[in-house]
Amino acid sequence: MADFHQNGNIATLHNLRTRSQAEMTYELETFAQTRKMTLILPCLYSELQTEAMPRILDELSKVTYLHRIIIGLDRADEAQFRHAKEFFKGLNQNHIVIWNDSPRMQALEAQLQDMGLAPAEKGKGKNVWSSLGYLIACQDSAVMAIHDCDIVTYTNDLLARLIYPVANANFPYQVAKGYYARVGSDKLNGRVTRLLVSPLLIALKKVVGDRDYIDYLRAFRYPLSGEFAMRTNILPDLRIPSDWGLEIGVLSEAWRNLAPKSVCQVEIADDYDHKHQDLSEADADAGLNRMSTDICKAIFRKLAADGTVFTPNVFRTLKATYYRCALDLLDAYYNDAKMNGLSIDRHKEERAIELFTENIMRAGHFFLDNPHETPFIPTWNRVHSAAPEFLAKLREAAAADDAEYN
């Protein structure tokens, strides 16, 4: 039974399947007559060879309400960029592939570096940030959505449900965060949310006390999903994290800039599966090992910005409290999985918890040892203030790459 309530002042919108996809599409087409919508796809070139991307392309080619699709392409040489352009020709919408590694884009990045405004590292955060810059430069969309490019169960109904809350002008929502059940291949998935974020937030509440920000994050059923939609008026002031804490960082920005009633979470799929990251226990800079550390740092930074004082003793206490909370939750996850006929490997789950426990301390040490760290890419408002012509140059460079490499 759907629970129509607001959890932590964040509205939860459900997928009850009481209306057809055609009905929702018709409404979105009506909204699009006065509120243009853009989809951003942050993409690695390697993802074009996966089973997910052809399916996503096929499903998106049926969408009639989008004004534009922006594909941010990372880790591609010239030949691969040409192939990507050919690959995306199947889209029926106005679209552009932004070659983030092109000489023109590298020259623009060098200009930002000279001004001290360049992203600290390459990755999804920089890709999304550059795509947002292009969208802002276009000045023609009221609504944008982003979703990952590794969804093997993708249908365009996912996009419709994701974008609807912010596309409907009668709704108050500025930001919509997608959520879905993390079950696939008869397994309970979503390890980082289940085994790190959920018990960490419980532990933080015990160690540092009640914080509105902690309650806010706990209200989200899947805070690490890569699917969200926004009204574009908030984009110029959006601070994008330069590490792997993108999803938590975006939620934190919504917390900083918006009233809770302007944010919602929406159920976008009954069946969702995507590429699963390796735990990468032996490499602290890869996979879930790196991701878990960056997520912890993102949460610690936000709490500190709101006045929470962290010390080595606080982090030691947090580590012990988290470990106990995570093991307690694991018992519940195990029972839930068994009751529903799903498999769960308790040994691997506990190994993940042990790794995350160490990464809480690792993130804490990094936070304390780097008080002058600037963890965010500058907002586009700041870039525009420093270099008023930059956004136009970004759009021109993307268009020139698109025209030259045919």
Side-chain angles (χ1 to χ4, degrees):
M1 183 67 182
D3 51 330
F4 289 99
H5 68 280
Q6 288 190 330
N7 184 6
N9 293 322
I10 301 301
T12 299
L13 310 182
H14 300 81
N15 180 1
L16 300 181
R17 292 181 291 180
T18 53
R19 66 188 313 199
S20 69
Q21 183 175 348
E23 290 175 319
M24 182 167 285
T25 297
Y26 175 77
E27 275 200 75
L28 287 167
E29 290 172 345
T30 302
F31 300 157
Q33 294 176 14
T34 55
R35 300 167 63 78
K36 291 181 180 179
M37 306 177 207
T38 291
L39 173 65
I40 291 176
L41 299 176
C43 176
L44 297 171
Y45 176 77
S46 60
E47 289 177 314
L48 271 59
Q49 276 90 39
T50 66
E51 62 176 312
M53 277 304 294
R55 179 187 178 103
I56 292 172
L57 191 67
D58 181 61
E59 287 290 316
L60 286 178
S61 67
K62 305 170 189 174
V63 175
T64 53
Y65 51 82
L66 284 177
H67 170 64
R68 177 187 293 109
I69 297 177
I70 300 170
I71 302 105
L73 182 67
D74 273 351
R75 300 184 191 176
D77 59 24
E78 180 182 330
Q80 291 167 335
F81 173 56
R82 292 179 188 272
H83 175 254
K85 287 190 61 182
E86 188 67 27
F87 180 88
F88 286 106
K89 277 187 176 179
L91 291 172
N92 294 322
Q93 303 86 353
N94 174 26
H95 65 275
I96 187 168
V97 180
I98 299 178
W99 182 19
N100 290 321
D101 299 301
S102 77
R104 290 184 178 91
M105 290 298 177
Q106 295 301 308
L108 289 177
E109 185 172 352
Q111 181 182 340
L112 290 176
Q113 288 174 342
D114 291 341
M115 295 186 293
L117 298 176
E121 57 184 285
K122 296 182 181 296
K124 184 179 178 182
K126 178 180 179 297
N127 191 331
V128 170
W129 180 78
S130 298
S131 298
L132 292 178
Y134 180 87
L135 175 59
I136 293 169
C138 290
Q139 297 183 336
D140 61 0
S141 294
V143 173
M144 58 77 63
I146 295 178
H147 65 63
D148 288 336
C149 293
D150 60 354
I151 310 169
V152 297
T153 53
Y154 186 85
T155 67
N156 58 57
D157 184 48
L158 179 153
L159 175 62
R161 293 189 175 278
L162 176 65
I163 207 169
Y164 185 95
V166 294
N168 190 331
N170 294 319
F171 286 5
Y173 309 120
Q174 299 281 325
V175 174
K177 177 76 166 176
Y179 78 90
Y180 33 80
R182 296 301 288 113
V183 175
S185 303
D186 296 323
K187 293 190 298 184
L188 199 59
N189 295 320
R191 287 172 293 173
V192 182
T193 292
R194 289 190 297 106
L195 303 179
L196 173 65
V197 177
S198 293
L200 176 59
L201 294 175
I202 294 171
L204 279 165
K205 193 161 187 174
K206 291 183 177 182
V207 174
V208 304
D210 287 334
R211 296 290 189 277
D212 289 341
Y213 175 68
I214 295 175
D215 291 336
Y216 167 79
L217 286 185
R218 290 189 67 193
F220 290 95
R221 299 187 176 188
Y222 193 46
L224 300 184
S225 73
E227 291 71 41
F228 49 89
M230 299 180 186
R231 293 182 180 172
T232 57
N233 61 292
I234 69 173
L235 297 181
D237 281 321
L238 192 69
R239 296 184 185 276
I240 298 291
S242 57
D243 55 22
W244 287 19
L246 174 65
E247 289 77 19
I248 291 291
V250 169
L251 289 182
S252 298
E253 282 296 279
W255 166 257
R256 182 179 73 92
N257 294 329
L258 303 170
K261 68 179 182 179
S262 298
V263 182
C264 73
Q265 58 182 334
V266 55
E267 187 177 15
I268 57 176
D270 297 322
D271 181 29
Y272 184 105
D273 199 10
H274 66 163
K275 175 187 175 184
H276 300 284
Q277 294 274 0
D278 292 330
L279 195 59
S280 301
E281 293 170 275
D283 187 352
D285 292 319
L288 300 186
N289 199 342
R290 164 74 184 275
M291 183 186 298
S292 60
T293 302
D294 286 349
I295 288 168
C296 291
K297 287 193 293 184
I299 293 173
F300 298 158
R301 288 183 200 123
K302 181 57 186 174
L303 284 169
D306 283 350
T308 299
V309 177
F310 287 105
T311 67
N313 287 339
V314 169
F315 285 121
R316 280 193 289 269
T317 303
L318 180 62
K319 173 185 175 181
T321 307
Y322 157 80
Y323 186 63
R324 184 66 262 173
C325 291
L327 291 178
D328 289 343
L329 282 181
L330 177 56
D331 289 337
Y333 295 137
Y334 180 82
N335 296 336
D336 195 12
K338 286 298 181 183
M339 189 178 76
N340 288 284
L342 303 173
S343 63
I344 189 168
D345 188 324
R346 291 198 66 146
H347 173 60
K348 289 184 178 179
E349 298 263 299
E350 289 205 30
R351 280 175 56 185
I353 289 172
E354 290 163 359
L355 177 68
F356 297 157
T357 301
E358 294 306 314
N359 284 348
I360 288 172
M361 287 300 295
R362 181 167 169 249
H365 286 311
F366 186 91
F367 175 82
L368 294 174
D369 293 342
N370 296 272
H372 301 298
E373 179 197 25
T374 304
F376 297 102
I377 304 172
T379 67
W380 278 111
N381 263 346
R382 182 178 176 188
V383 173
H384 181 70
S385 178
E389 76 290 347
F390 189 87
L391 281 169
K393 287 183 177 180
L394 174 64
R395 185 179 180 185
E396 291 166 4
D401 284 342
D402 184 63
E404 178 178 348
Y405 295 97
N406 285 316

